[in-house]
Amino acid sequence: MFWCAGCSSQLRAGGANSGGKSSSAPTTAAQGGGTSPLARTRLAPGTVTMPAAGMHCHMTGSTPTTYRPDPACTPGTVEDTVTQNNIDSTICVTGYTTKIRPPASATDKVKRDLYGAYGVPDSTTSELDHLVSLELGGSNDPRNLWIEPGSLPNPKDTVENALHKAVCDHKVTLAAAQQAIATNWTTALAVTGAGK
């Protein structure tokens, strides 16, 4: 996760994606469709691509326990190189996320663009968050990033940690955890049974 307490919320021009392959975003349950698999992307470790220019996103919820991203802007995407077959050598290895997390210098413009797109004021305590967390195989694609208001740690962190543990303990499949958190992180533990 990326922390930003005073990022500029001015949306800048530009924002074409660079580097990496990505597939088009599917309709998810959160968007009123079925439970189509999440888009898979392949980015070089430690890189992040830019969001589309001129996005206008609307967050739902009114407290840190209910804030959710706009599914049209942030449907969630997952890293193509992480699969159910290799979780024990990727996401379940201590230090995995440090190898793929982009440095702050690479996320500054992404932060500015998404803060502007989500209309979050500079003074709001918030973070640039992966909807599908890196520890669940989420990608650094901008379709997986949103502005999450609230202080750290936040309620979503607890959900991410519980899902990660359930996946690494082979109690919940990777795909089920990814889909549940992307569809509605506030119900993901109940949907997967990881909250028991």
Side-chain angles (χ1 to χ4, degrees):
M1 283 172 241
F2 307 104
W3 172 251
C4 182
C7 294
S8 169
S9 63
Q10 182 178 10
L11 184 62
R12 293 183 177 198
N17 283 349
S18 61
K21 297 186 300 184
S22 64
S23 57
S24 61
T27 300
T28 65
Q31 295 168 300
T35 54
S36 300
L38 296 169
R40 301 186 68 77
T41 63
R42 182 171 294 184
L43 302 173
T47 62
V48 63
T49 56
M50 296 303 300
M55 289 191 331
H56 297 286
C57 309
H58 304 283
M59 192 176 326
T60 60
S62 57
T63 67
T65 59
T66 61
Y67 288 129
R68 292 177 41 215
D70 186 333
C73 295
T74 312
T77 60
V78 295
E79 178 55 43
D80 192 39
T81 58
V82 178
T83 67
Q84 183 68 44
N85 291 335
N86 70 14
I87 60 172
D88 292 323
S89 62
T90 56
I91 64 168
C92 298
V93 174
T94 301
Y96 166 79
T97 61
T98 61
K99 295 176 185 175
I100 62 165
R101 186 181 308 283
S105 60
T107 61
D108 285 345
K109 182 160 179 9
V110 175
K111 287 179 186 180
R112 285 190 296 271
D113 285 2
L114 286 176
Y115 272 74
Y118 270 96
V120 176
D122 292 346
S123 60
T124 304
T125 300
S126 52
E127 70 174 300
L128 180 61
D129 182 64
H130 291 86
L131 177 58
V132 179
S133 64
L134 295 177
E135 68 220 273
L136 289 174
S139 78
N140 292 315
D141 185 294
R143 295 171 295 166
N144 193 44
L145 297 171
W146 68 295
I147 303 308
E148 183 179 11
S151 59
L152 293 174
N154 58 54
K156 185 171 176 283
D157 293 340
T158 302
V159 173
E160 294 168 354
N161 293 337
L163 286 173
H164 179 256
K165 182 175 181 355
V167 168
C168 292
D169 288 346
H170 300 273
K171 293 179 179 175
V172 174
T173 66
L174 177 64
Q178 290 172 334
Q179 190 68 52
I181 201 165
T183 301
N184 184 345
W185 73 264
T186 68
T187 61
L189 295 182
V191 167
T192 60
K196 296 178 181 177

